[in-house]
Amino acid sequence: MLLTRIKGPRDLDRLSQEELDQLAAEIRSFLVDAVSKTGGHLGPNLGVVELTIALHRVFDSPKDKVLFDTGHQSYVHKLLTGRQDFGNLRSKGGLSGYPSRAESDHDVIENSHASTVLGWADGIAKANEVLGREDHHVAAVIGDGALTGGMAWEALNNIAAAKDRPLVIVVNDNERSYGPTIGGLANHLATLRTTDGYERFLARGKDLLERTPVVGKPLYETLHGAKKGLKDFIAPQGMFEDLGLKYIGPIDGHDIEALESALQRAKRFSGPVIVHCLTQKGRGYTPALEHEADRFHAVGVIHPDTGLPVATDAASWTSVFADEMVKLGHERPDIVGITAAMLHPVGLKKFADAFPDRIFDVGIAEQHGATSAAGLATGGAHPVFAVYATFLNRAFDQVLMDVALHKCGVTFVLDRAGVTGTDGASHNGMWDMSIMQVVPGLRLAAPRDAEQLRAQLREAVAVKDAPTVVRYSKGVVGPAVPAVGRIGGMDVLREPGSDVTRPDVLLVSVGALAPMCLDIATLLDKQGITTTVVDPRWVKPVDEALPPLAERHRVVVTVEDNGRTGGVGSAVSQALRDAGIDVPLRDFGIPQRFLDHASRKEVMAEIGLTAPDIARQVTGLVAKLDGRYDSERAAAVD
């Protein structure tokens, strides 16, 4: 196999055109086989095989910087830079599903949040200029979907201002982000794609000129790269050139020779150039091409021949939300849905099918989505903006200044909250409850099970004068966790016997960690430590009944699937101080560090967010309060 002989990008230099085509076929076969066993981003990588080969033939990575926006399409890049062990892809100790500086000097951007690559490219190109590195180049690959993000256009505005600073922008145009790309830019790119006159002209010209001795091919390339006059007459690519950016394309993104020619011309140019490549997401794999929803953007473990899942998932948090949104839509004509280019992943597809006039896909533009939601609320609608928890970070200013300041009734539904695991540091939803704590008037719910998700979503959309947030985990929703009582607005999940006058521990359980907190209480009970377990349901603001309840216990413990700094534990601690209640409090949550990719269970174990770990520490704390710390007693909870 050719692929096994590729240890680095320069190994590509000696391959013939025929061998390059063979390599592309081998890479596609490898990806289908490997990703079907581990899960991962399959469709996007199948679409960029030839493009990635051409990039590494033309540019000299890592001296030249080849940058990928979002990075989910970097699997081919990994294969060509010496990383061909995909056996533990996205698993602990294995390759990351995104670029990783720890893996290779060829990887630059790790954050895997879309629309950032052009800002990175602008900065690196400026550094090359300042430091006199004239032989260093920058090539930034950005999908057409990521160009719906405002950051991309802020960067383009700056890039275009420096007409003599070299920078190659490769637009990977497959008409999709997760699903089909939407918006004015998508329409413009579609116009470029479908301007047949230009392509027919070039096809006829290429055939004629390539038969012309000596001058034919150079003349064809000159015509193909022409900027004003001829090309403006045939294809409306003027939007990019009006920004001051030279434009090459559209190029067949699966023709290595054409790609290399375009990239070489762009590389030689002394200023910023856009190379517009047309690719096909899921190329070469029939099940992906036939999957209209997202062309296998991301898959779990599948049968490689059929593309069907190996196991059928149980009901997920997302599916529970999806069904309840449809019910709410039938009951309330004012409810509308908003998504940031993730209609399927966040569960709004059913709502869109039922109410096509009440769904708005803003593209990868969370900031705009939040402010538009404020406008919708001001106009009398109640928007439900469903977004991954990690991506709400990007819209903080808009939540604060546009939604909260104006007391707009907007509900933010945060999917993939807490530890998500396999997608790595940038996808863990571990900041939302900390960030949202500082927003005046905002109310935040963390449902513990499907029943509570349905109930709290309804409570959230009933609020008309403030932003509300409902957050839940990734994956399968667990069994129902019944309440045994109610104190204030809090559900009591477990209480000690009636003969206990002052229980040892008040355990405040947040969201989906309720089953684990009940396990902690069971372990503590075996050590003779009495425990009350409560679920606040709404963790912001802190329930008024919590401080007096805490005063009736010897110690308060909070457990949350969120960063410890500024999280629910911090809010509870402040509420106790404000109430003048001097009860020791210990907060358990996610440490404020970036967590490596692994399964959720493995990450939780690594950070000590498990029932035995927490019970052991609480046992030690109670023992200290008794003045009789016994290490053997603390260890017994194992």
Side-chain angles (χ1 to χ4, degrees), residues 186-260:
N187 292 334
H188 180 83
L189 292 175
T191 302
L192 293 175
R193 283 193 296 270
T194 56
T195 305
D196 294 335
Y198 169 65
E199 294 303 327
R200 284 199 305 270
F201 173 86
L202 284 181
R204 290 196 299 269
K206 180 178 182 181
D207 182 62
L208 174 64
L209 291 171
E210 286 189 341
R211 293 201 303 267
T212 304
V214 185
V215 299
K217 188 169 183 177
L219 182 56
Y220 165 74
E221 291 189 355
T222 299
L223 287 173
H224 195 276
K227 294 299 167 283
K228 289 294 178 185
L230 171 68
K231 201 161 182 228
D232 274 350
F233 177 75
I234 300 168
Q237 83 294 336
M239 177 180 70
F240 294 113
E241 296 197 348
D242 287 345
L243 286 171
L245 299 165
K246 298 300 182 183
Y247 174 93
I248 299 175
I251 306 295
D252 181 351
H254 302 294
D255 183 334
I256 296 176
E257 187 175 16
L259 286 165
E260 286 190 39

Side-chain angles (χ1 to χ4, degrees), residues 330-507:
H330 284 296
E331 296 169 16
R332 286 184 46 178
D334 64 319
I335 286 183
V336 300
I338 301 177
T339 175
M342 300 176 76
L343 187 70
H344 290 268
V346 299
L348 282 175
K349 180 60 167 62
K350 288 184 178 180
F351 185 88
D353 290 342
F355 311 102
D357 296 331
R358 290 158 57 187
I359 188 74
F360 302 99
D361 188 339
V362 299
I364 302 176
E366 292 85 1
Q367 292 174 300
H368 167 67
T371 300
S372 179
L376 278 161
T378 300
H382 190 104
V384 177
F385 188 0
V387 61
Y388 283 9
T390 183
F391 297 139
L392 188 66
N393 307 348
R394 314 184 83 182
F396 170 73
D397 183 66
Q398 289 68 33
V399 173
L400 180 67
M401 292 297 173
D402 293 318
V403 181
L405 176 64
H406 294 86
K407 295 182 173 60
C408 295
V410 176
T411 297
F412 297 90
V413 173
L414 306 189
D415 203 322
R416 273 73 163 174
V419 172
T420 57
T422 54
D423 280 329
S426 66
H427 274 57
N428 289 314
M430 56 178 280
W431 293 280
D432 58 284
M433 288 199 290
S434 299
I435 293 172
M436 294 300 113
Q437 285 289 349
V438 305
V439 179
L442 181 142
R443 308 175 201 183
L444 196 156
R448 65 181 181 269
D449 57 24
E451 180 183 343
Q452 286 301 306
L453 171 53
R454 287 187 283 265
Q456 291 181 266
L457 177 62
R458 288 177 172 274
E459 292 169 23
V461 297
V463 176
K464 298 181 179 179
D465 60 352
T468 52
V469 176
V470 180
R471 56 108 68 180
Y472 47 78
S473 302
K474 177 182 179 180
V476 175
V477 62
V481 181
V484 298
R486 175 67 72 96
I487 299 177
M490 302 181 294
D491 280 346
V492 180
L493 306 184
R494 176 181 172 131
E495 54 189 356
S498 57
D499 58 329
V500 179
T501 57
R502 191 185 186 195
D504 294 308
V505 177
L506 173 61
L507 181 54

Side-chain angles (χ1 to χ4, degrees), residues 309-314:
V310 169
T312 303
D313 288 336

